[in-house]
Amino acid sequence: MSFETIFRMDGRVALVTGAGFGIGRSLAQGLAAFGAHVICADCDLPGAEETAAMIRDAGGAADAIYVDVAQTQSVDGLFGEIGRLKGRLDILINNAGVSTGPRRLHELPIEDWDRLMGINLRGVFLCARAAIPMMLEAGGGSIVNISSIAGLTGYFPGAARLCVNYAASKAGVIGLTRQAAMEYAREGIRVNAIAPGWHGGTRLGGARLAALSPEALASLEATVNSRIPMGHRGVPDDLVGLAVYLASSASSYVTGQVIAHDGGWTAE
Ligand SMILES: NC(=O)c1ccc[n+]([C@@H]2O[C@H](COP(=O)([O-])OP(=O)(O)OC[C@H]3O[C@@H](n4cnc5c(N)ncnc54)[C@H](O)[C@@H]3O)[C@@H](O)[C@H]2O)c1
């Protein structure tokens, strides 16, 4: 076995949803750096185009396609386009996600529950549902679902991103991951989840954070950082190594797993 190439993805086609900014942009760039042709999909098409251009400027291969992962027709359109462009799909990173709030359960608007579930959970289901037939045709594949430590554990410091809809959607992603892993294990499709802890430099919860006073923001940062054993938040690029591992043959005997990427948060 040639160990030097186990992380390489040359000749493989990867779809990253929510690739127009934040974690999705980093993951798209990371997969491309290891040889994958990356489809950058987002409801923010200019953002997705910017990511694809960054990849091409760095010598990689990428296309940008519009998708609203909550909408069946839009997801069908995305996969139809991938079929026309590349004729195959080997890797799916289900990354698109949003947060709402801040509200406790009894104050949470029902529309916020429905909208978030549509993107964070239904979107993961719709994209996996459309990707799996292409992976079966290709003889296997890897699906990496971006969950959250909010799907593993509760936390309430008046935090700007965590509400029950977010936590429930991310726990749902974990259940979907484990069940799908069982269903396709014999056909070479691996399904794993990453549960990130707090990662800065993204737009998640951006409107809520922007509404905080500088003092309240500093206090929230300090509270969160004090909760992290490593003492600081992550950044999107930190997630690339784990995503490349799960997407590539380096993890060929790993399926149905949820790996926290959280500076030790969930180790307590
Ligand atoms: N940042 C964190 O601390 C953190 C922690 C745990 C989990 N996550 C998860 O990581 C993923 C990425 O989050 P991020 O922090 O990079 O956020 P972000 O807001 O910076 O990026 C999310 C991207 O998803 C896109 N998107 C939103 N709704 C969409 C839709 N309906 N269809 C297609 N694209 C859509 C946005 O346009 C954006 O480009 C999310 O699933 C989030 O829940 C983030």
Side-chain angles (χ1 to χ4, degrees), residues 50-116:
E50 196 173 81
T51 303
M54 290 163 86
I55 289 171
R56 288 192 294 266
D57 287 350
D63 295 292
I65 303 178
Y66 173 88
V67 72
D68 178 347
V69 296
Q71 304 300 326
T72 314
Q73 277 193 341
S74 183
V75 171
D76 286 349
L78 166 67
F79 281 82
E81 188 65 17
I82 294 171
R84 274 188 294 279
L85 276 175
K86 302 304 297 174
R88 63 182 291 144
L89 185 71
D90 306 280
I91 295 157
L92 166 63
I93 312 281
N94 266 318
N95 165 78
V98 295
S99 67
T100 63
R103 295 276 196 277
R104 287 192 293 157
L105 190 154
H106 72 285
E107 301 161 329
L108 187 73
I110 292 167
E111 312 83 72
D112 281 7
W113 174 274
D114 290 341
R115 191 176 77 81
L116 181 142

Side-chain angles (χ1 to χ4, degrees), residues 17-25 41-45 47-48 66-71 94-99 115 118-120 146-150 161 166 169-170 194-206 233-234 236 239:
T17 67
F21 199 74
I23 291 171
R25 171 169 288 174
D42 205 296
C43 61
D44 170 10
L45 185 58
Y66 173 88
V67 72
D68 178 347
V69 296
Q71 304 300 326
N94 266 318
N95 165 78
V98 295
S99 67
R115 191 176 77 81
I119 297 168
N120 290 14
I146 306 301
S147 175
S148 166
I149 58 169
R161 293 173 184 175
Y166 188 79
S169 74
K170 294 303 187 179
I194 296 176
W198 290 74
H199 288 70
T202 83
R203 290 183 186 144
L204 194 72
R233 296 197 300 186
L239 282 154

Side-chain angles (χ1 to χ4, degrees), residues 15 17 27 31 91-95 124 135 142-147 173 177 190-194 242-248 251:
L15 166 63
T17 67
L27 301 189
L31 296 191
I91 295 157
L92 166 63
I93 312 281
N94 266 318
N95 165 78
V124 169
M135 292 181 174
S142 175
I143 299 177
V144 181
N145 296 323
I146 306 301
S147 175
V173 166
T177 298
R190 299 182 299 104
V191 191
N192 292 288
I194 296 176
L242 181 53
V244 166
Y245 166 69
L246 290 174
S248 69
S251 59

